[in-house]
Amino acid sequence: MSDQIELASILERNEGSVLTAWVAGQQSSTTRQGVISEGELIETSRVFLSLFARAVKTDYDEELSGEVWQPIKAHLVALSRERVIQGFSPVETATFIFSLKKPLFDALRKDIGKDAARLADEVWKLTLTLDKLGLLTVEAYQQTRQEIIERQQQELLDLTTPTVRLWESIVALPLIGTLDSERTQVVMESLLEAIVENEAAIAIIDITGVPTVDTLVAQHLLKTVAAARLMGAECIISGIRPQIAQTIVHLGVDLGDVVTKATLAEALKVALRRVGLTVNKIASAVRES
């Protein structure tokens, strides 16, 4: 009897007991029993075991190269993605497959335990197959987690580059954190979109929240200023603290004719004057009237 027929026949006769033992093993090995209901765990395991039995019966290939293995792979990828979101660790996720070994080994031993050579061959081939499926869950888990991390990084990047309309034709872009090449691109796109949307004549780039300014950061700022000018907006850089001023001088960075101010408030005053507006105290305005 071939390996394919052997294991398929054993699975067919023992599917119920294997499923029960497998689910019990998963429940005893996971620390997140409250996240997945027992019914959901049973159904997920039942679907996989059914797909696995069909694959083994059709094409028992430990390389998982046949078409019949594709539904199993898709099932495991979907399961791994879901468990990332549910907070499972890679080990807990891979346990879904590795905990199936003992129930299947027990079933093999029950049926062919008297033939040591056949049992050894079956156990070894089944081990290779389940190990590959287990590694597949780990790979899918890691890929999903990396995608989530990258998405969160992008969302955080967007949150740290908000563009604010301060007044008619005046926008401000407060920067927080390090300004690298990738972030400069996001900053530039955000600022240019705001200039177009608000028909801004003045754009204030506030670097109060930027911890350090070196030559590279200064170059990124100048690129952003140049891009804004091409859109017809004049830029003012605010948040120039004494330490940053000394660093810029020490590095010999030439900001050209870019207006710089120590605070956002001072930059706003300049911006208002540039667009022909002033801010007066209410009392002064009343006396003048």
Side-chain angles (χ1 to χ4, degrees), residues 2-4 7 52 55-70 72-73 76 97 120-136:
S2 68
D3 290 342
Q4 179 173 317
L7 183 57
F52 183 73
V56 168
K57 186 175 182 179
T58 306
D59 182 13
Y60 190 10
D61 174 19
E62 67 270 24
E63 295 299 325
L64 314 180
S65 57
E67 286 294 325
V68 71
W69 291 96
Q70 296 308 313
I72 293 180
K73 293 179 180 179
L76 291 178
I97 291 297
D121 290 342
E122 288 287 347
V123 167
W124 177 243
K125 186 171 184 179
L126 181 58
T127 297
L128 293 177
T129 302
L130 293 179
D131 283 349
K132 285 185 178 295
L133 292 173
L135 291 175
L136 176 65

Side-chain angles (χ1 to χ4, degrees), residues 18-222:
V18 168
L19 178 61
T20 300
W22 183 25
V23 171
Q26 291 181 74
Q27 289 176 325
S28 63
S29 63
T30 182
T31 59
R32 302 181 185 273
Q33 296 183 22
V35 178
I36 301 177
S37 67
E38 182 178 0
E40 182 182 356
L41 181 61
I42 292 174
E43 180 60 17
T44 301
S45 303
R46 185 195 64 76
V47 171
F48 175 84
L49 197 59
S50 176
L51 292 172
F52 183 73
R54 188 183 309 162
V56 168
K57 186 175 182 179
T58 306
D59 182 13
Y60 190 10
D61 174 19
E62 67 270 24
E63 295 299 325
L64 314 180
S65 57
E67 286 294 325
V68 71
W69 291 96
Q70 296 308 313
I72 293 180
K73 293 179 180 179
H75 182 75
L76 291 178
V77 168
L79 178 139
S80 299
R81 289 180 176 276
E82 184 175 352
R83 296 203 169 180
V84 170
I85 298 172
Q86 292 170 332
F88 283 74
S89 68
V91 172
E92 290 172 327
T93 302
T95 298
F96 175 78
I97 291 297
F98 294 139
S99 60
L100 179 58
K101 285 185 177 182
K102 188 177 187 305
L104 288 180
F105 291 170
D106 289 344
L108 287 172
R109 185 171 61 249
K110 176 184 174 182
D111 279 51
I112 58 175
K114 294 181 180 180
D115 189 337
R118 281 175 55 202
L119 178 62
D121 290 342
E122 288 287 347
V123 167
W124 177 243
K125 186 171 184 179
L126 181 58
T127 297
L128 293 177
T129 302
L130 293 179
D131 283 349
K132 285 185 178 295
L133 292 173
L135 291 175
L136 176 65
T137 65
V138 174
E139 291 176 357
Y141 180 99
Q142 292 177 334
Q143 181 179 356
T144 301
R145 186 167 62 177
Q146 183 62 33
E147 291 172 358
I148 292 174
I149 291 173
E150 291 176 357
R151 185 175 68 250
Q152 290 174 337
Q153 288 176 336
Q154 184 60 46
E155 290 173 352
L156 182 60
L157 194 61
D158 293 338
L159 287 173
T160 56
T161 54
T163 306
V164 183
R165 181 181 181 183
L166 296 180
W167 204 265
E168 184 178 351
S169 74
I170 301 175
V171 296
L173 181 66
L175 299 179
I176 301 174
T178 304
L179 193 63
D180 55 21
S181 298
E182 181 180 358
R183 188 161 179 227
T184 298
Q185 185 64 31
V186 176
V187 167
M188 194 179 299
E189 291 175 359
S190 178
L191 182 60
L192 296 182
E193 288 175 2
I195 290 172
V196 172
E197 183 179 348
N198 295 280
E199 298 181 351
I202 306 291
I204 301 174
I205 303 175
D206 184 70
I207 61 172
T208 304
V210 177
T212 57
V213 174
D214 54 18
T215 304
L216 190 59
V217 170
Q219 289 175 351
H220 290 324
L221 287 174
L222 290 176

Side-chain angles (χ1 to χ4, degrees), residues 269 272 277-289:
K269 291 179 182 178
L272 289 171
L277 299 173
T278 59
V279 177
N280 296 321
K281 292 182 179 181
I282 295 177
S284 299
V286 171
R287 284 197 297 268
E288 290 177 1
S289 63

Side-chain angles (χ1 to χ4, degrees), residues 243-258:
Q243 307 94 300
I244 291 181
Q246 292 176 8
T247 301
I248 291 176
V249 172
H250 178 72
L251 294 173
V253 176
D254 183 13
L255 294 178
D257 57 350
V258 180

